[in-house]
Amino acid sequence: MAFYTLKCALCGREFPAESELKTCPDCGIHGTMHVLYDYDEAKKQIGRASLAADRRVDLWRYEALLPVRKNSRRPALQVGWTPLYDMPQLASEYNVGQLLIKDDGRNPTASLKDRASAVAVTLAAEQNRSVLACASTGNAASSLAGFAANMGLKSVIFVPETAPVAKVTQLLVFGARVFLVKGDYAAAVRLAIEAIEHYGWYDRNCAINPFLVEGKKTCAMEIAEQCGWDVPDKVFVSVGDGCIVSSTYKGFYDLYKVGVIDRIPQIIGVQAEGACPIHRAIQEGADKVIFGPSHTIADSIDVGAPHNWAKALHAIRASRGNTTAVSDAEILSAVAELPRKSGVFAEPAGATAYAGFVKFAREGRLKAPDRVAVIISGNGLKDVASAQKAVPSADKVAPDMKELIKIFG
Ligand SMILES: *Cc1c(COP(=O)(O)O)cnc(C)c1O
Ligand SMILES: [Zn+2]
């Protein structure tokens, strides 16, 4: 790892790594921190040639730009280097130059969150911490639970009582101590923060722990590398708390700073209409995000009070990007269309990024030469009940050819 400093996303004040701060002491909980490396030093450790020779097919190939110690104990689960699919037929249907689908539902616990959890358990082990905790809409929790299990660590999880059953079951099979919090995600976060403080657990809350966005940024780094360093023009990503959108920018930013890529794609953040405070702030040119209640079928982005809003606004603006918001109907239609046309099955929050791409294309906001990547952040099997709303039901038939012909023709 190259030496790093922490920089508040709100006031810009810098702090040394040794300060071990999570958020800025001046700005409080909203002052989330950027992790900035000594890029001249990093350049000596990582570059196009060293990566071309690197045989690792996981996120650790970028470890020179990750906040972990060189020979620290790592989880055995394979995280990252997920496929980036070129979809020429879909590209021509929507009249863009190229459409790339990054299938991050292919990670060990089936969401992009595994990239953050891999770093979290590594850091916890470096610090000899044995219990990790987080609040989550579902995926961060099931991911943390899986990675803690793999490392022989304990996890304590706070999720809203409405979290989809597949995600809660994942938690339980990985042996986590699970609390179903009576209330929404914001309530789960409040309780988790207090409990983490009280018991002294390792904090895997992504917005608060600055190092987790560092793990997630490897998704963008892979997109760049899988494109042969000729990065796409626009990258669509769904937005809840704002960590993934921040990390997408950060991955490209770090590669730009070490001279591996020569530009940063525009980051397009996609929110659900019922939970779009970051979208509103971007459209209004505001420098604050107004919190409020939220409701969407895409549970992973059902966030009315996004914790990482400061970094998210910075990521979208610094990349000359934009935002859009899609309705639950548009999300459900994307849940059905994406697998039918690509073979990639996404949970609603993952399909939201694709719904945003479709909306941009239909509104004429993409140009024919545009090269577009869409990040699919979670696998469809996470939330089968939502997918069932988006597809027709199957026909029942007697085991009799005549009966089949009656139906099939
Ligand atoms: C967590 C999550 C998101 C949203 O990420 P944020 O960092 O909260 O903005 C999107 N999709 C899936 C599948 C997720 O699990
Ligand atoms: Zn600050």
Side-chain angles (χ1 to χ4, degrees), residues 121-163:
V121 293
T122 300
L123 292 175
E126 284 181 7
Q127 298 166 20
N128 292 315
R129 309 282 284 274
S130 56
V131 185
L132 299 88
C134 75
S136 163
T137 52
N139 284 335
S142 40
S143 174
L144 176 63
F147 280 75
N150 185 263
M151 290 282 273
L153 304 170
K154 292 197 170 69
S155 58
V156 183
I157 307 294
F158 300 85
V159 287
E161 60 180 343
T162 51

Side-chain angles (χ1 to χ4, degrees), residues 29-43:
I29 195 99
H30 299 299
T32 50
M33 303 274 211
H34 299 294
V35 179
L36 298 175
Y37 298 86
D38 176 343
Y39 291 102
D40 290 327
E41 187 53 41
K43 258 185 208 171

Side-chain angles (χ1 to χ4, degrees), residues 111 113 139 216 238-244 300-301 347 349-350 377-378:
S111 83
K113 299 286 196 292
N139 284 335
K216 289 183 175 180
S238 67
V239 183
D241 255 329
C243 304
I244 298 182
S300 299
I301 52 170
E347 69 162 86
S377 43

Side-chain angles (χ1 to χ4, degrees), residues 108-377:
T109 76
S111 83
L112 188 151
K113 299 286 196 292
D114 287 345
R115 297 177 184 272
S117 296
V119 169
V121 293
T122 300
L123 292 175
E126 284 181 7
Q127 298 166 20
N128 292 315
R129 309 282 284 274
S130 56
V131 185
L132 299 88
C134 75
S136 163
T137 52
N139 284 335
S142 40
S143 174
L144 176 63
F147 280 75
N150 185 263
M151 290 282 273
L153 304 170
K154 292 197 170 69
S155 58
V156 183
I157 307 294
F158 300 85
V159 287
E161 60 180 343
T162 51
V165 62
K167 296 181 183 180
V168 176
T169 308
Q170 259 186 316
L171 291 170
L172 298 168
V173 300
F174 290 135
R177 183 71 201 271
V178 183
F179 292 99
L180 299 176
V181 180
K182 295 174 191 164
D184 59 3
Y185 172 58
V189 172
R190 276 196 302 275
L191 182 58
I193 290 175
E194 277 185 52
I196 286 165
E197 186 73 33
H198 181 84
Y199 294 105
W201 296 326
Y202 185 86
D203 187 346
R204 188 251 178 263
N205 285 309
C206 188
I208 294 154
N209 182 329
F211 305 116
L212 303 185
V213 161
E214 295 301 296
K216 289 183 175 180
K217 78 184 176 188
T218 56
C219 181
M221 293 172 147
E222 288 173 15
I223 292 174
E225 191 168 6
Q226 288 165 323
C227 287
W229 307 120
D230 184 12
V231 294
D233 300 298
K234 292 187 171 65
V235 179
F236 285 80
V237 46
S238 67
V239 183
D241 255 329
C243 304
I244 298 182
V245 73
S246 306
S247 71
T248 306
Y249 174 72
K250 183 61 161 40
F252 292 121
Y253 175 84
D254 282 358
L255 291 179
Y256 179 78
K257 292 293 277 186
V258 295
V260 168
I261 57 174
D262 60 7
R263 68 204 141 85
I264 294 174
Q266 291 177 283
I267 312 295
I268 314 293
V270 188
Q271 293 208 285
E273 276 175 2
C276 64
I278 289 176
H279 168 61
R280 262 190 238 115
I282 289 286
Q283 298 311 313
E284 288 162 9
D287 53 13
K288 275 209 177 68
V289 168
I290 296 169
F291 291 0
S294 65
H295 186 72
T296 166
I297 190 166
D299 64 290
S300 299
I301 52 170
D302 189 354
V303 182
H307 294 88
N308 224 339
W309 63 267
K311 271 201 221 177
L313 294 185
H314 172 263
I316 292 159
R317 287 176 176 147
S319 73
R320 300 157 293 105
N322 208 335
T323 57
T324 187
V326 291
S327 66
D328 277 5
E330 288 170 305
I331 293 171
L332 278 180
S333 110
V335 164
E337 175 180 307
L338 177 66
R340 203 169 61 235
K341 295 187 175 175
S342 72
V344 176
F345 183 21
E347 69 162 86
T352 297
Y354 181 75
F357 157 72
V358 169
K359 186 159 192 160
F360 251 60
R362 294 212 173 116
E363 290 173 352
R365 299 167 77 183
L366 299 173
K367 294 184 217 80
D370 273 349
R371 293 172 53 230
V372 174
V374 176
I375 296 178
I376 302 304
S377 43

Side-chain angles (χ1 to χ4, degrees), residues 8 10-13 24 26-27 31:
C8 174
L10 275 183
C11 71
R13 194 173 152 197
C24 175
D26 298 337
C27 302

Side-chain angles (χ1 to χ4, degrees), residues 37-100:
Y37 298 86
D38 176 343
Y39 291 102
D40 290 327
E41 187 53 41
K43 258 185 208 171
K44 296 179 198 153
Q45 298 175 33
I46 191 167
R48 287 190 184 189
S50 73
L51 285 167
D54 197 321
R55 305 284 284 274
R56 286 173 289 187
V57 282
D58 58 32
L59 83 176
W60 304 117
R61 55 193 287 108
Y62 308 107
E63 78 176 325
L65 288 165
L66 290 172
V68 293
R69 291 190 206 132
K70 194 148 180 64
N71 293 310
S72 55
R73 192 160 73 90
R74 306 283 163 80
L77 299 173
Q78 194 227 310
V79 190
W81 207 251
T82 55
L84 182 72
Y85 297 123
D86 197 352
M87 294 284 153
Q89 260 158 334
L90 265 179
S92 71
E93 183 177 331
Y94 285 103
N95 200 26
V96 291
Q98 187 177 32
L99 178 63
L100 299 160

